[in-house]
Amino acid sequence: MKDQLTDALYGLGWSTVKKLPEPVAVRLGQRIADTAWKRRGKSVLRLESNLARVVPDATPARLAELSRAGMRSYLRYWMESFRLPAWSKDRIRGGFAPQDVHHLENGLASGRGVILALPHLGNWDLAGAWVTTKLGVPFTTVAERLKPETLYDRFVAYREGLGMEVLPHTGGSAFGTLARRLRAGGLVCLVADRDLSASGVEVKFFGETARMPAGPAMLARQTGALLLPVTLWYDGTPVMQGRVHPEVEVPETGTRTEQAAAMTQQLADAFASGIAEHPEDWHMLQRLWLADLEPRADGADSGPRPDAGSRPEPHCDDSSGTEKP
């Protein structure tokens, strides 16, 4: 029943929200966000806990302000995503204004293949639609298997409709397919700031230890593709902003594991720079740091657990191709 209700709600969003005038959709998103924020549920409290690490000198009032803005940003993501299938190509082209796109364009022109790695900032789907529409470049990603199957099918159809090739992680074949796309000079995009496998790479993130997936670094190392961090944010206008960061290069020395760890740390540093500048647009409503995953006094499982408020994201964690929600 819960799965059916979830599927129905997503279906209602795509069928109804996309028909609303944009100002109405914006106000609706803000109203839902404010209501959720006022209820102080687990997702809001987790968001504030995460933001407290990003802005360690913030007062309780400042954290509350940031979390409210964060929930509004998160609902803006959903309202935009529900409406993206109805946006014109001109609206998509004008809806995103990234900086330093030459890193991406030069990488694609080189024929080496490019991996774009992003944190949970802004609207990943809008950035992807901009790449396929404005630049005319298709790309490949992976998608988690959702329950019910009809909900998974909705997300695959939605993203394929925006010009993305979506690979299921079932069978562990995603990594190999991504590698083939890159060796052919293609583009791969992955959200890469959260690992749920308990086997990711440990990184220092805002002064504490977290795990992040090694997949982007391993792909770059094995295929020779460029690995480019990307950060996104909103600036109070209808146009989302973004930055393509310089290449994360493969270290000249070290074992494969050491090289992947060093590259993943560089990704974490690039993500942190964007998150620190725009903390309200980091939609991390789940546990991230290892300190939050330590065993509780009652001896409960200390492993990563999905919290409320998660959204289906394209991830690839390591050479096995296993992808994360």
Side-chain angles (χ1 to χ4, degrees), residues 202-324:
E202 291 191 2
V203 297
K204 285 297 182 182
F205 196 56
F206 291 102
E208 293 190 41
T209 303
R211 289 194 191 100
M212 293 188 180
M218 295 295 289
L219 281 167
R221 183 191 176 281
Q222 291 189 24
T223 66
L226 279 78
L227 175 55
L228 303 177
V230 177
T231 53
L232 311 171
W233 67 91
Y234 297 120
D235 66 353
T237 72
V239 180
M240 184 174 70
Q241 306 297 314
R243 177 177 297 113
V244 181
H245 296 253
E247 177 188 2
V248 173
E249 298 182 354
V250 179
E252 295 182 358
T253 60
T255 65
R256 183 177 79 167
T257 300
E258 291 169 342
Q259 290 175 331
M263 296 171 72
T264 305
Q265 181 63 64
Q266 289 184 58
L267 277 182
D269 293 342
F271 294 164
S273 69
I275 293 167
E277 291 177 357
H278 307 280
E280 68 279 4
D281 291 320
W282 188 41
H283 307 155
M284 186 55 66
L285 281 66
Q286 302 84 26
R287 297 173 177 87
L288 180 69
W289 283 273
L290 298 193
D292 294 334
L293 306 177
E294 291 176 350
R296 301 197 302 265
D298 60 5
D301 186 349
S302 63
R305 297 174 295 276
D307 294 315
S310 61
R311 72 190 190 208
E313 298 292 359
H315 287 253
C316 182
D317 71 339
D318 56 26
S319 56
S320 69
T322 305
E323 139 301 317
K324 303 295 162 229

Side-chain angles (χ1 to χ4, degrees), residues 5-228:
L5 177 60
T6 300
D7 181 45
L9 288 174
Y10 279 109
L12 181 64
W14 271 304
S15 64
T16 303
V17 174
K18 70 179 181 181
K19 299 177 182 178
L20 297 175
E22 189 159 345
V24 175
V26 170
R27 289 195 298 271
L28 176 61
Q30 291 177 348
R31 186 176 305 167
I32 295 172
D34 289 347
T35 299
W37 178 78
K38 289 176 182 177
R39 289 179 177 174
R40 309 291 294 164
K42 290 182 179 180
S43 295
V44 173
L45 296 178
R46 175 56 54 191
L47 177 60
E48 287 189 5
S49 175
N50 291 337
L51 289 171
R53 288 180 167 99
V54 175
V55 190
D57 58 346
T59 64
R62 173 59 175 156
L63 282 178
E65 177 186 340
L66 281 174
S67 68
R68 182 182 185 186
M71 291 304 295
R72 284 193 167 200
S73 178
Y74 184 56
L75 262 295
R76 174 171 172 174
Y77 161 85
W78 278 114
M79 290 296 148
E80 286 180 346
S81 295
F82 286 141
R83 291 173 54 75
L84 269 175
W87 280 17
S88 68
K89 291 185 177 180
D90 286 343
R91 178 68 179 88
I92 292 173
R93 294 187 191 103
F96 182 38
Q99 304 169 17
D100 299 326
V101 183
H102 65 276
H103 292 305
L104 170 58
E105 294 173 327
N106 292 344
L108 292 171
S110 73
R112 288 175 54 188
V114 176
I115 304 159
L116 298 181
L118 305 88
H120 287 77
L121 273 171
N123 188 334
W124 180 91
D125 291 308
L126 173 55
W130 184 90
V131 168
T132 60
T133 303
K134 175 74 172 182
L135 300 185
V137 178
F139 66 86
T140 305
T141 187
V142 293
E144 63 178 306
R145 280 286 182 186
L146 302 171
K147 293 182 179 181
E149 189 74 13
T150 51
L151 181 57
Y152 170 77
D153 292 341
R154 286 186 193 276
F155 272 96
V156 170
Y158 159 61
R159 285 174 171 143
E160 287 181 342
L162 298 177
M164 311 176 194
E165 179 189 21
V166 183
L167 305 176
H169 76 282
T170 304
S173 62
F175 189 93
T177 303
L178 294 175
R180 288 192 292 273
R181 298 291 186 269
L182 291 168
R183 290 190 178 104
L187 176 64
V188 164
C189 299
L190 299 168
V191 177
D193 62 341
R194 183 171 182 247
D195 176 81
L196 291 180
S197 67
S199 63
V201 175
E202 291 191 2
V203 297
K204 285 297 182 182
F205 196 56
F206 291 102
E208 293 190 41
T209 303
R211 289 194 191 100
M212 293 188 180
M218 295 295 289
L219 281 167
R221 183 191 176 281
Q222 291 189 24
T223 66
L226 279 78
L227 175 55
L228 303 177

